[in-house]
Amino acid sequence: MSEAKTAKSRSKSVDVEAAGQAISSPPVERPRLRDAERTSKAILAAATKEFAERGYGGARVDAIAERAKINKRMLYHYFGGKDALYVAVLEGSYVAIRSAEARLDLSHRSPTEGMRELVVFTWKYFLDHPEFLGILSTENMQKARFLKRSARIFELHSPLVAEISGLLGRGVATGDFRSDCDPVKIYMSIAALGSFFLTNRWTLSTIFQRNLSEKSEIDAWGEHIIEVIFAYLRP
Amino acid sequence: MSEAKTAKSRSKSVDVEAAGQAISSPPVERPRLRDAERTSKAILAAATKEFAERGYGGARVDAIAERAKINKRMLYHYFGGKDALYVAVLEGSYVAIRSAEARLDLSHRSPTEGMRELVVFTWKYFLDHPEFLGILSTENMQKARFLKRSARIFELHSPLVAEISGLLGRGVATGDFRSDCDPVKIYMSIAALGSFFLTNRWTLSTIFQRNLSEKSEIDAWGEHIIEVIFAYLRP
Amino acid sequence: MSEAKTAKSRSKSVDVEAAGQAISSPPVERPRLRDAERTSKAILAAATKEFAERGYGGARVDAIAERAKINKRMLYHYFGGKDALYVAVLEGSYVAIRSAEARLDLSHRSPTEGMRELVVFTWKYFLDHPEFLGILSTENMQKARFLKRSARIFELHSPLVAEISGLLGRGVATGDFRSDCDPVKIYMSIAALGSFFLTNRWTLSTIFQRNLSEKSEIDAWGEHIIEVIFAYLRP
Amino acid sequence: MSEAKTAKSRSKSVDVEAAGQAISSPPVERPRLRDAERTSKAILAAATKEFAERGYGGARVDAIAERAKINKRMLYHYFGGKDALYVAVLEGSYVAIRSAEARLDLSHRSPTEGMRELVVFTWKYFLDHPEFLGILSTENMQKARFLKRSARIFELHSPLVAEISGLLGRGVATGDFRSDCDPVKIYMSIAALGSFFLTNRWTLSTIFQRNLSEKSEIDAWGEHIIEVIFAYLRP
DNA sequence: CATGAATGAGTATTCATTCAT
DNA sequence: GATGAATGAATACTCATTCAT
């Protein structure tokens, strides 16, 4: 592991847009050559896909370079190596979802509305960003080996917990929600139902002979998550 | 990937005992000469762990041989190659859980009791067989590439769906459960809640600064699953 | 540096013959395939030449494999890596010269005869084993980075010092040598005169416009060493 | 090796000051704009160290740029490439020692005094300029591949030979020295004893378990060289 | 003059698999 | 049946050098 050499990339701030959005942005025709930012983002986007699809061990540096249409050497120039690039992808992925989440502004809605919005957002985000779930899968297969080293990860998540706590508190006050709910458990339940379906639909489709990638099945499961969560929250 | 060469292994029947039980079962005392079987099981058990921990791409044939304490050549002798071995591991994993499940005998219990038993069994099985979840993760990361080729996988699962359908039907009749429940959705919800917690606890522990591998957290989540499922089933 | 992985090669005893003699032995026509010892020696001999000629940093693993006419993979199989192979070469080189030296049996000769024999042997050995000097050059350029880690190197050299001490002592007794000579200084002087000429003859030939690789020059320098050493030892 | 591309650098005259003295010389105060020269010297000094420490093959262009604290591109601007830079270092090294030597003015001293001065100077120069010995090592490892191409190298050395010849002739006349001494052999003996000790002290310290980098050992060896040379010169 | 992005050809090392005994 | 030597195709990473600004 060449992590000692990541110094250079450490100073690179992980760009919120990079992992999540560069992927879908239209192929802007800029000068092409000597565009450091563009190159760096392209690498990050390509790496995100590759790591998500093949896992850390299965991901190939050459494949990332090819996907990003850059010279493999640049990957080392900008990120230092496979490890450091993976860490950048990992942090970038979390930053991206938490940033989008933060834009929800749940506190100005009724508890029921807010909770529904959170559930729907989460489900949609998972649906639209399959790489995020892939990265999580990979990282967990390694027991969060890399994430544990990331200092700022915790801070990134306290606002989320606070937000859910607020919703729950207000919901209890209005009589919409049962009391004694753990915000972390609520979030985990939402994530569990959403993530499991999308992540595992491939084997599930096979064993149950039912194409879970069809729109109707996906939509139905989205409804199902809401039903389950609200059934549980019901006082 | 030399998948064209897996023909040899196809003739190998997957042993129910292999993945799930050979690990803990006592060394059966039969005449001898059973070295072949013993070796084969050791390989399967070692491969299960390796694939579960590192994923398909990250797993190393050498590592499997070393874990199984056998000569690498034997692995090719018995299974034909990495791909075929992986398929054997995959099928064996499903066979193992479905076999254990089948021993539950849910039909002789009340719907509520039966459902609780199913939830508890699933949770415990996931807890006791982390490799199973690892294998699923890996296989889904590859979009069920290998599982899709496995012919008998569907048959293996129809009894499970039937069993849950039975429980639900009886529950509706007794007034314990709401009507209109999809047995597959119920099973997927149970699996989702159990699997997600265990699979993702490493990153979750990190982002929420809370050690989800502690017994108290694990037990609490087991209770949580039951609560969620029953809240949903409540008429 | 992958030295943590050299465990395997560590158990390989360095063969005295390997570095020094396998090089000049006739190409025995043995079965060719599956001859571990032969392969291992061929690698060591090839590596000795490569490291001697190009230095540690300049040596190429591919070049070694090609010189040894083996698959590059075997080099890792037998030695673990470039580092470990280099260490084997280094130790082997010292073992080879010290073993040959030990066969001199200086103690049964007169001090003068013994000393002359030592000088001549050293000169001839350097002349016949240019790789040895090359290896020393390389290792010293790295400030003995690898040699310092070699445990048995010191033991290998105490007999030499003892032998020279014996010669000097007897020479003082017979009146042939001056007293107060440090055996290590004597050896170093012999080595210095021999080594410097052979190692530096390329630049020396150029700057002095005189071909020091000619037999006459080489022989003359051999005589010169003897003269210098005996002039110094003269009481 | 892009040796065909060194044409550019050929026109660069090697500055006497560059390798040997730029390092310690005070920042000459001239109008300004001298950045070009300053940069060029910094590169040469950095390259001298790098090549001396790691050898030609082991030296890294990036490392040289970093040591010189200049942009790598400048290195190509001023010297054309690695090869040409190496040649400049090599020539500069010889020019530096011969220039310093020329300032000795041996002809106005007694033969004995002059000879002692030459020995002491050589020893001190080697001691103070470890890069010089490193460069020689490297160049000889390549059998003077680059030096052979340098046209003016021979001229640079004839004064040295003449100077020593003069000393020897006068010494024979005064009866201080034996006759029939080859000036080149004398110089080579002086250089051999000095160079070998300093170059090889790392391995020698290890094999003889004696720290030859200590001041006492170094001083003692300086004395030893004088003793050896004068013992040999004694009529 | 100066900078840093870009590149293709290496360079050490590892992998799954096969072969000879 | 069992063993370990042998192999070619990757695989992560590095190097000297050039290009655009």
Side-chain angles (χ1 to χ4, degrees):
Chain A
M1 306 293 137
S2 60
E3 289 172 80
K5 293 168 187 170
T6 64
K8 194 169 186 179
S9 68
R10 274 281 143 74
S11 59
K12 285 245 161 242
S13 66
V14 172
D15 191 326
V16 178
E17 312 299 294
Q21 311 201 341
I23 297 166
S24 50
S25 66
V28 193
E29 278 311 327
R30 279 196 258 169
R32 249 312 146 91
L33 279 170
R34 315 192 62 73
D35 186 337
E37 196 182 322
R38 181 196 172 81
T39 302
S40 156
K41 276 186 183 172
I43 294 171
L44 206 51
T48 303
K49 280 188 191 165
E50 176 78 4
F51 282 124
E53 287 175 17
R54 309 215 199 293
Y56 178 80
R60 300 288 166 247
V61 170
D62 288 88
I64 294 171
E66 204 168 330
R67 276 173 192 257
K69 293 196 204 308
I70 50 105
N71 184 291
K72 190 174 34 162
R73 187 62 190 76
M74 296 322 286
L75 191 155
Y76 291 91
H77 185 61
Y78 286 110
F79 294 91
K82 189 181 180 181
D83 279 22
L85 177 54
Y86 175 78
V87 171
V89 162
L90 188 57
E91 292 186 343
S93 299
Y94 272 111
V95 168
I97 187 172
R98 293 294 89 95
S99 306
E101 221 164 53
R103 288 194 281 271
L104 284 181
D105 190 36
L106 304 175
S107 45
H108 292 101
R109 297 168 188 270
S110 76
T112 312
E113 279 296 296
M115 185 59 72
R116 174 182 297 269
E117 176 125 359
L118 178 64
V119 174
V120 169
F121 165 82
T122 303
W123 171 243
K124 283 259 189 279
Y125 193 90
F126 286 0
L127 202 50
D128 295 344
H129 299 84
E131 335 82 49
F132 178 62
L133 296 179
I135 296 296
L136 289 195
S137 252
T138 292
E139 182 59 6
N140 276 300
M141 197 166 282
Q142 299 179 83
K143 305 199 172 177
R145 179 159 69 105
F146 291 102
L147 194 68
K148 271 192 289 205
R149 294 191 220 136
S150 175
R152 56 197 154 193
I153 274 298
F154 174 61
E155 311 156 20
L156 199 59
H157 289 81
S158 24
L160 169 63
V161 178
E163 201 83 63
I164 300 172
S165 281
L167 277 179
L168 291 175
R170 289 194 288 126
V172 171
T174 59
D176 290 320
F177 299 157
R178 58 183 280 195
S179 58
D180 298 335
C181 277
D182 174 357
V184 168
K185 273 203 182 66
I186 296 297
Y187 181 75
M188 280 171 58
S189 302
I190 297 169
L193 291 165
S195 158
F196 180 83
F197 178 94
L198 295 171
T199 299
N200 291 56
R201 65 181 138 158
W202 318 103
T203 55
L204 292 169
S205 290
T206 306
I207 67 178
F208 292 131
Q209 297 281 81
R210 193 166 147 174
N211 184 4
L212 298 178
S213 293
E214 270 173 14
K215 184 166 170 23
S216 59
E217 291 277 14
I218 289 172
D219 290 346
W221 188 260
E223 286 307 310
H224 179 70
I225 300 174
I226 295 172
E227 276 187 65
V228 173
I229 296 301
F230 278 90
Y232 176 74
L233 288 174
R234 190 169 42 181
Chain B
M1 304 300 134
S2 60
E3 292 176 69
K5 293 169 187 169
T6 63
K8 195 171 184 180
S9 69
R10 276 282 145 76
S11 58
K12 284 262 159 212
S13 67
V14 173
D15 191 329
V16 178
E17 312 298 295
Q21 311 200 336
I23 300 164
S24 51
S25 67
V28 194
E29 283 308 329
R30 276 193 256 170
R32 253 280 294 175
L33 234 173
R34 325 245 18 266
D35 275 17
E37 198 183 323
R38 198 201 211 77
T39 302
S40 156
K41 278 187 182 171
I43 295 170
L44 209 47
T48 303
K49 281 187 191 163
E50 177 77 6
F51 283 122
E53 286 175 17
R54 310 213 199 294
Y56 178 80
R60 300 288 164 248
V61 170
D62 288 85
I64 294 170
E66 204 168 328
R67 275 174 194 256
K69 292 195 204 308
I70 50 104
N71 183 286
K72 194 170 33 164
R73 189 65 190 76
M74 290 294 90
L75 190 154
Y76 287 90
H77 184 65
Y78 285 112
F79 293 91
K82 189 183 183 182
D83 280 18
L85 177 54
Y86 175 78
V87 170
V89 161
L90 187 60
E91 292 187 342
S93 298
Y94 273 110
V95 169
I97 187 172
R98 295 293 90 94
S99 305
E101 222 165 51
R103 286 187 222 105
L104 283 182
D105 191 36
L106 304 175
S107 44
H108 294 99
R109 298 170 188 268
S110 77
T112 312
E113 278 296 296
M115 185 58 71
R116 174 182 298 269
E117 176 125 358
L118 179 64
V119 174
V120 169
F121 165 83
T122 302
W123 172 242
K124 284 258 189 280
Y125 192 90
F126 286 1
L127 202 49
D128 295 343
H129 299 83
E131 332 83 52
F132 178 63
L133 296 179
I135 296 296
L136 289 195
S137 252
T138 293
E139 182 59 7
N140 276 298
M141 197 166 281
Q142 301 179 82
K143 307 202 171 174
R145 178 157 71 106
F146 291 101
L147 194 69
K148 271 192 289 204
R149 293 194 221 134
S150 176
R152 57 200 151 198
I153 273 296
F154 174 59
E155 310 155 21
L156 200 59
H157 289 82
S158 26
L160 169 62
V161 178
E163 201 82 63
I164 301 172
S165 282
L167 276 178
L168 290 175
R170 290 193 289 126
V172 172
T174 58
D176 289 320
F177 298 158
R178 59 184 276 193
S179 57
D180 299 336
C181 277
D182 173 359
V184 168
K185 274 204 181 65
I186 296 297
Y187 181 74
M188 281 171 57
S189 302
I190 297 169
L193 291 164
S195 159
F196 180 83
F197 178 95
L198 295 170
T199 299
N200 291 57
R201 64 182 139 159
W202 316 104
T203 54
L204 293 168
S205 291
T206 306
I207 67 178
F208 294 131
Q209 297 280 79
R210 191 165 149 173
N211 184 3
L212 299 178
S213 293
E214 269 175 15
K215 185 168 171 21
S216 59
E217 290 277 16
I218 288 172
D219 289 347
W221 189 260
E223 286 306 311
H224 179 70
I225 301 174
I226 294 172
E227 276 188 65
V228 172
I229 297 299
F230 277 90
Y232 176 73
L233 287 174
R234 190 168 40 182
Chain C
M1 305 290 137
S2 60
E3 291 173 77
K5 292 167 187 171
T6 63
K8 195 170 186 179
S9 68
R10 275 282 143 74
S11 58
K12 286 248 161 237
S13 65
V14 173
D15 193 325
V16 177
E17 312 299 295
Q21 312 202 338
I23 298 165
S24 49
S25 67
V28 193
E29 277 311 327
R30 280 196 257 168
R32 251 306 147 92
L33 279 169
R34 313 192 64 71
D35 186 337
E37 196 182 323
R38 181 195 171 82
T39 302
S40 156
K41 276 184 183 173
I43 294 170
L44 207 49
T48 302
K49 280 188 193 166
E50 177 78 4
F51 282 124
E53 287 175 17
R54 311 216 198 293
Y56 179 81
R60 299 288 166 247
V61 169
D62 287 86
I64 294 171
E66 203 168 328
R67 277 171 192 257
K69 292 195 205 308
I70 50 105
N71 184 290
K72 191 174 31 163
R73 187 61 189 77
M74 296 322 286
L75 190 154
Y76 290 90
H77 186 60
Y78 287 110
F79 293 92
K82 189 180 181 183
D83 279 20
L85 178 54
Y86 175 78
V87 170
V89 162
L90 188 58
E91 292 187 343
S93 298
Y94 273 110
V95 168
I97 186 173
R98 294 294 91 93
S99 304
E101 220 164 55
R103 286 194 281 272
L104 283 181
D105 192 36
L106 305 174
S107 46
H108 291 99
R109 299 171 187 267
S110 75
T112 312
E113 278 297 295
M115 184 59 71
R116 173 182 297 269
E117 176 125 0
L118 178 64
V119 173
V120 169
F121 165 83
T122 302
W123 171 242
K124 283 257 187 284
Y125 192 90
F126 286 0
L127 202 49
D128 295 343
H129 299 86
E131 335 81 51
F132 178 63
L133 296 179
I135 296 296
L136 289 195
S137 252
T138 292
E139 182 59 7
N140 276 300
M141 197 166 281
Q142 301 179 83
K143 306 202 171 174
R145 178 158 70 104
F146 291 102
L147 194 68
K148 271 193 288 205
R149 294 191 219 138
S150 176
R152 56 196 154 194
I153 274 297
F154 174 60
E155 309 156 21
L156 200 59
H157 289 82
S158 25
L160 169 62
V161 178
E163 202 82 62
I164 301 172
S165 283
L167 276 180
L168 290 175
R170 289 193 289 125
V172 172
T174 58
D176 289 320
F177 298 158
R178 59 183 278 195
S179 58
D180 298 336
C181 277
D182 174 357
V184 168
K185 274 204 181 66
I186 296 297
Y187 181 75
M188 280 171 58
S189 302
I190 297 169
L193 291 164
S195 160
F196 180 83
F197 178 94
L198 294 170
T199 298
N200 291 55
R201 65 180 138 157
W202 318 103
T203 53
L204 293 169
S205 291
T206 306
I207 67 178
F208 293 132
Q209 297 281 78
R210 192 165 147 175
N211 184 3
L212 298 179
S213 292
E214 269 174 15
K215 185 165 171 22
S216 58
E217 291 278 14
I218 290 172
D219 290 345
W221 189 261
E223 284 307 310
H224 179 69
I225 301 174
I226 295 173
E227 276 187 67
V228 172
I229 297 301
F230 277 91
Y232 175 73
L233 287 174
R234 191 168 40 181
Chain D
M1 304 295 135
S2 58
E3 293 176 67
K5 294 167 187 170
T6 62
K8 194 171 186 179
S9 71
R10 273 284 143 74
S11 57
K12 285 256 159 217
S13 67
V14 172
D15 191 329
V16 178
E17 313 298 294
Q21 311 200 336
I23 300 164
S24 50
S25 68
V28 194
E29 282 308 329
R30 273 192 259 173
R32 249 283 292 177
L33 235 174
R34 324 249 15 269
D35 275 15
E37 195 182 325
R38 198 203 212 75
T39 302
S40 156
K41 277 186 183 173
I43 294 171
L44 208 48
T48 302
K49 280 188 192 163
E50 177 77 5
F51 283 124
E53 286 174 19
R54 307 212 200 295
Y56 179 80
R60 300 289 164 248
V61 169
D62 288 85
I64 294 171
E66 204 168 328
R67 277 175 193 255
K69 293 195 205 306
I70 50 103
N71 183 285
K72 194 169 35 160
R73 189 64 190 77
M74 289 295 91
L75 192 154
Y76 287 90
H77 184 66
Y78 286 111
F79 293 92
K82 190 182 182 180
D83 281 17
L85 177 55
Y86 175 79
V87 170
V89 162
L90 187 59
E91 293 186 344
S93 298
Y94 273 110
V95 168
I97 187 173
R98 293 296 88 97
S99 305
E101 223 164 51
R103 287 189 222 106
L104 284 181
D105 190 37
L106 304 174
S107 45
H108 293 99
R109 296 170 189 268
S110 77
T112 312
E113 277 297 296
M115 185 58 71
R116 174 181 298 268
E117 176 123 358
L118 177 64
V119 172
V120 169
F121 165 82
T122 303
W123 171 241
K124 283 259 188 280
Y125 193 89
F126 286 0
L127 202 49
D128 295 343
H129 299 83
E131 333 84 48
F132 178 63
L133 296 179
I135 295 296
L136 289 195
S137 252
T138 292
E139 182 58 8
N140 276 298
M141 198 166 280
Q142 300 179 82
K143 307 201 172 174
R145 179 158 69 105
F146 291 102
L147 194 68
K148 270 192 290 202
R149 294 193 222 134
S150 175
R152 58 201 149 194
I153 274 296
F154 174 60
E155 311 155 20
L156 199 60
H157 289 82
S158 25
L160 169 63
V161 178
E163 201 83 62
I164 301 172
S165 281
L167 275 180
L168 290 175
R170 289 194 288 124
V172 172
T174 59
D176 289 320
F177 299 158
R178 58 183 278 193
S179 58
D180 299 336
C181 277
D182 174 358
V184 168
K185 273 204 180 66
I186 295 296
Y187 181 74
M188 281 171 57
S189 301
I190 296 169
L193 290 164
S195 158
F196 180 82
F197 179 95
L198 294 170
T199 299
N200 291 55
R201 66 181 139 157
W202 317 103
T203 55
L204 293 168
S205 290
T206 306
I207 68 178
F208 293 131
Q209 299 278 81
R210 194 166 146 172
N211 184 4
L212 298 178
S213 293
E214 271 173 14
K215 183 164 171 25
S216 59
E217 290 276 14
I218 289 173
D219 290 346
W221 188 262
E223 286 306 311
H224 179 69
I225 300 175
I226 294 172
E227 275 187 65
V228 172
I229 296 301
F230 278 89
Y232 175 74
L233 286 174
R234 189 169 42 181

